[in-house]
Amino acid sequence: MDTDTGVDDALALMLLAADPEVEILAVLSVFGNTYGDRAADNARYVLDTCGRTDVPVYRGSDAPLKQELRLSAGIHGEDGFGNTGLRPETSVPAEPNGIPILLDLVNRHDGEIDYLALGPQTNLARALELEPRLLERLRSTTIVGTLGPALYHDTEPWADRRFRVSRDPNVSFDIDAAQAVAARAGDVTWCGPYVTRQAMVPEDFFLEIAASTGFGPAELITKISADYAGFYTRSYPQPDGRRVLGINDSLAVASLLRPELVTGSVQRPLQTFEDPATGDRFLAGVHPVKGETRPLHRVVFDMDFDGVLEMIGETLRRPLPWR
């Protein structure tokens, strides 16, 4: 798992940590929702809260390949945890770096590893520089990113109303890395805001679980998500005035662990688009052209959202220990 551990990343990591069929070989940090070092510490804190001290966390990329560093601090807080200041007992050291760890794991488990990238794709791009066939040697790669499937001959896919507040920071924060990944062949699935912004979950869903169970993972989500829910409630006001929050990264985890919950996807080459108003660049899945040579990746555009919520609820109501 490759994560810029903010609020929704924490929930996604819990879904993996609780699944008895999943072996988490390593967690790599990346900048995005917060600084890279805090992302690593946040992942460590989540795993420790879930009793998963057996899962190693490594520092990954702290900055984009070429761009200036940008963060989503206004959404997740400066610390990625809603400015709660929560830290693990022991911070994740800067060494060993996670990218050589990843390549070593691939050499030892060729064709057996599922890679889940929840933040900017910088770690993958750096690893591809060292092993160009990386995506082919992974069993699968699931990425939170892209604007989804563009309409035929669409030149402004970012104009969809789902993107009126926040478009696709995981790609735009390091477009060079995203383009490097998009150019490689492999079993790659992109699950971006086109689908994730359809799922706004009432804050009460999590508050009720935490209050009724008193379990640590559920309580952690409620602690770190107060400001996060404020952002989503202001940005996506609900008819009944309910406070809501996004579960973006959990949808990617669900697409990997429960593929039957994916109700719509297409195979598309990915193309770069630039918004002239902001200069931000994005990826979207476009229709293949005659004689297409670009690799085709899977782009998710619809899911069984109720099924994903059931999966989250069942996980958070599960008592510890999870192993």
Side-chain angles (χ1 to χ4, degrees):
M1 181 171 170
D2 181 339
T3 174
D4 55 342
T5 325
V7 177
D8 56 326
D9 307 70
L11 180 61
L13 183 50
M14 290 175 184
L15 298 181
L16 287 176
D19 193 316
E21 301 300 318
V22 172
E23 179 186 4
I24 308 176
L25 294 175
V27 174
L28 278 63
S29 69
V30 68
F31 69 93
N33 291 328
T34 186
Y35 292 100
D37 61 332
R38 290 306 299 261
D41 280 358
N42 289 352
R44 181 74 274 156
Y45 192 94
V46 172
L47 288 165
D48 291 350
T49 299
C50 298
R52 295 303 308 274
T53 56
D54 58 302
V55 178
V57 178
Y58 302 99
R59 288 271 294 277
S61 299
D62 293 335
L65 296 181
K66 301 177 182 178
Q67 296 171 225
E68 291 186 5
L69 178 66
R70 296 165 61 187
L71 303 173
S72 296
I75 302 174
H76 295 263
E78 293 289 339
D79 63 0
F81 267 9
N83 294 322
T84 58
L86 297 172
R87 301 295 290 265
E89 288 187 9
T90 303
S91 289
V92 176
E95 296 294 338
N97 183 268
I99 293 171
I101 298 290
L102 164 63
L103 295 175
D104 179 63
L105 287 169
V106 170
N107 286 332
R108 287 191 282 131
H109 304 280
D110 206 334
E112 299 177 340
I113 293 175
D114 298 302
Y115 194 95
L116 183 63
L118 305 183
Q121 292 85 63
T122 314
N123 289 330
L124 270 177
R126 292 190 188 280
L128 280 166
E129 292 174 355
L130 300 171
E131 170 49 287
R133 294 186 57 250
L134 175 64
L135 298 186
E136 297 175 84
R137 298 182 63 192
L138 294 166
R139 181 165 65 179
S140 72
T141 303
T142 303
I143 302 170
V144 178
T146 77
L147 296 178
L151 299 175
Y152 187 54
H153 289 166
D154 188 358
T155 59
E156 297 183 343
W158 63 84
D160 188 286
R161 67 184 182 88
R162 295 180 183 87
F163 312 133
R164 68 185 184 276
V165 176
S166 176
R167 291 169 178 174
D168 186 10
N170 282 357
V171 164
S172 63
F173 280 9
D174 194 348
I175 184 64
D176 302 288
Q179 289 173 326
V181 174
R184 298 289 183 176
D187 184 351
V188 182
T189 295
W190 299 76
C191 185
Y194 187 93
V195 62
T196 63
R197 299 285 160 73
Q198 297 181 51
M200 296 296 155
V201 180
E203 183 183 36
D204 287 346
F205 174 82
F206 298 97
L207 292 172
E208 187 279 325
I209 295 175
S212 62
T213 66
F215 294 158
E219 290 184 332
L220 176 58
I221 292 299
T222 62
K223 286 178 184 177
I224 64 178
S225 64
D227 288 349
Y228 182 75
F231 167 82
Y232 274 96
T233 301
R234 293 189 301 273
S235 303
Y236 302 91
Q238 303 300 300
D240 57 5
R242 289 180 302 170
R243 282 170 57 86
V244 294
L245 54 99
I247 55 168
N248 311 307
D249 294 338
S250 292
L251 292 166
V253 173
S255 74
L256 173 63
L257 300 185
R258 309 264 184 94
E260 70 276 7
L261 295 178
V262 176
T263 55
S265 67
V266 289
Q267 294 288 126
R268 295 274 183 92
L270 298 179
Q271 182 173 316
T272 304
F273 295 84
E274 181 173 345
D275 180 353
T278 65
D280 282 338
R281 290 175 290 166
F282 309 96
L283 293 179
V286 298
H287 289 80
V289 298
K290 186 176 181 179
E292 183 64 69
T293 59
R294 294 170 293 182
L296 300 182
H297 290 183
R298 183 184 187 218
V299 180
V300 175
F301 64 83
D302 198 15
M303 292 190 69
D304 177 355
F305 300 111
D306 287 340
V308 176
L309 266 186
E310 289 177 9
M311 176 182 176
I312 293 171
E314 189 277 331
T315 298
L316 294 181
R317 293 182 187 280
R318 190 181 304 172
L320 297 174
W322 284 348
R323 276 292 188 276

